[in-house]
Amino acid sequence: MLSLANFTEFISAWYSWGVAIAFAITFVTTLWIFFDSQSNGYRASLWRWLSLLAAVIVIPSVILSFSPQMAEGLPGALIEALAALGIAATIVSLFSLLLYGLGIGVTPPDADQIMAVDSSSPFAGQEANGGKEGDVRANVRPASTPPHGVQATTKEKPITPQRVPITSGDTIRIKNAYENELPLAWVVALNGPYAGQEYRLQRITDIGRESDHNDIALDDRTISRQHARIRYEKGAFVIYDLASANGVFINGSQVQRRVLAHGDRVKLGQVMLGVLMVQEDIDVDLPPDASALPDATISPVAP
C-alpha cells in the first residue's frame, strides 16, 4: 500500500519533471491525430476531441510546475487532485493514439467525399456543360488512401449509352467509350538510380519514400515518407503536395496542386519525373458504302 511519504514524493516528482513529459506526450498526440485525420479526410471525432481534452487537463499541472508560487495559496488536496488528473489524462492520450493508429473508431472518406469538388472550382460546372476535358484548372479537395488498414470505399460512375452513327461493317472498335475509363498515363524517372523506370498512373497514385504506404516508392533521402499524390479527377490527373519537406516543382515552379499535362517535368526532392500521356481516339473500319447505313444507338458493353 502506498504510504503518505511515498505519495508525497510521487506528487513532488510529478511537478518537478513528470508533468513536462506528460505535456509533451499529450501535445504531440493531439497534433498528430488532428493533422493526420485532417490531411487524409478521416472521421475520427472521438480520438480528436479526447486527445485535445487530455492536453487541456494537463495544462494546470504545467502552470503549477513552472510557477510554484501559485500553489502556495491552494489547498494540498487540490494540488494532488490536479496531479492525479494529469496522470490519468496522459494515459488517456496514449490510449487514444494507440486506437487511432490501429484504425479503431476511424472512418475513411466515402466515395462522394473523395470525388467532391469545391463549388468555386471550374470543375463544378463541367458536369452540367458536358464535362469537357480541356478546361481543367481547379481547386479540388484532396483525398487519400488510408494508412491505417481501413479500406476506402470506391464507387464508379454509371455507364451511360452513347449514340454512335453506324459507319462500319462487322467491326467497330471504340476506345474511351466508358465515362469512367482511366486514360493511359505514366510518370518516368529521368535521373538517379531509378532513371528509366516507368510507373502507370492510377485513379489515386501516392508517391513517397516508404514502399508500404505508396504506389510509387522512391528510396531517396530527399523524398518525404508521403511526398505527393496524383488523382484522376474530372478527366485530368491532378498532383498534390502532401506537406513534403522539399516540395513539389512542376517545370521549375513550386506548386501545392496542379493539373498535369503531357511533357511536364515533376521534381520531388532530387528526383525528376517526366509525365507521359496517351490520347486514345475512335478507331473505325469503314464499309464500302457507309452512307447507306442508318444511325443507331449503341450502348457500350463492359469487357
Side-chain angles (χ1 to χ4, degrees):
M1 186 174 180
L2 186 64
S3 64
L4 181 60
N6 292 335
F7 181 73
T8 303
E9 292 178 0
F10 180 77
I11 296 299
S12 176
W14 164 258
Y15 281 107
S16 61
W17 55 268
V19 68
I21 298 176
F23 179 73
I25 291 174
T26 55
F27 182 75
V28 171
T29 298
T30 303
L31 282 183
W32 172 257
I33 293 178
F34 267 79
F35 174 78
D36 190 70
S37 60
Q38 182 69 26
S39 62
N40 291 293
Y42 301 150
R43 291 191 290 273
S45 300
L46 176 61
W47 309 128
R48 292 176 66 171
W49 295 112
L50 199 59
S51 63
L52 179 61
L53 178 62
V56 171
I57 291 176
V58 174
I59 290 178
S61 294
V62 175
I63 296 175
L64 293 179
S65 175
F66 285 94
S67 300
Q69 64 274 12
M70 296 183 62
E72 294 179 357
L74 297 177
L78 177 60
I79 296 175
E80 295 172 356
L82 291 176
L85 285 175
I87 295 170
T90 305
I91 296 173
V92 169
S93 181
L94 291 173
F95 181 75
S96 301
L97 180 61
L98 175 63
L99 294 185
Y100 176 80
L102 294 175
I104 299 174
V106 179
T107 305
D110 54 27
D112 293 335
Q113 182 180 352
I114 290 176
M115 299 305 296
V117 180
D118 292 337
S119 59
S120 60
S121 167
F123 283 152
Q126 283 189 14
E127 190 169 338
N129 296 329
K132 297 180 181 179
E133 288 190 6
D135 187 16
V136 283
R137 293 294 185 272
N139 295 324
V140 185
R141 296 195 199 105
S144 64
T145 304
H148 301 291
V150 181
Q151 294 294 330
T153 57
T154 57
K155 180 170 62 179
E156 298 291 344
K157 294 184 178 180
I159 299 174
T160 56
Q162 299 180 0
R163 185 172 181 81
V164 180
I166 296 181
T167 57
S168 67
D170 296 331
T171 303
I172 297 179
R173 291 173 295 165
I174 301 176
K175 299 177 182 179
N176 285 339
Y178 299 99
E179 183 182 357
N180 62 345
E181 183 178 352
L182 190 67
L184 297 175
W186 295 265
V187 291
V188 181
L190 302 179
N191 64 347
Y194 298 96
Q197 290 282 351
E198 299 178 357
Y199 306 94
R200 171 78 187 276
L201 295 182
Q202 306 299 321
R203 290 194 178 276
I204 298 177
T205 305
D206 285 340
I207 306 174
R209 189 173 64 248
E210 293 188 357
S211 58
D212 293 341
H213 299 91
N214 297 282
D215 303 292
I216 300 176
L218 302 173
D219 189 11
D220 187 284
R221 61 183 180 83
T222 62
I223 300 292
S224 297
R225 185 174 65 89
Q226 289 180 297
H227 198 107
R229 173 171 295 118
I230 300 176
R231 291 183 55 214
Y232 182 68
E233 302 168 343
K234 297 292 183 179
F237 287 97
V238 184
I239 189 169
Y240 296 93
D241 184 355
L242 300 181
S244 62
N246 293 316
V248 175
F249 293 81
I250 307 294
N251 301 325
S253 300
Q254 187 170 8
V255 300
Q256 293 300 317
R257 56 188 170 190
R258 175 74 64 83
V259 175
L260 294 176
H262 176 73
D264 280 347
R265 288 176 174 260
V266 181
K267 185 180 180 184
L268 309 177
Q270 296 299 321
V271 178
M272 183 72 72
L273 303 174
V275 179
L276 298 178
M277 296 184 182
V278 176
Q279 178 67 43
E280 300 188 49
D281 301 318
I282 295 177
D283 187 5
V284 176
D285 294 335
L286 296 177
D289 186 6
S291 61
L293 297 175
D295 290 348
T297 299
I298 298 178
S299 299
V301 179

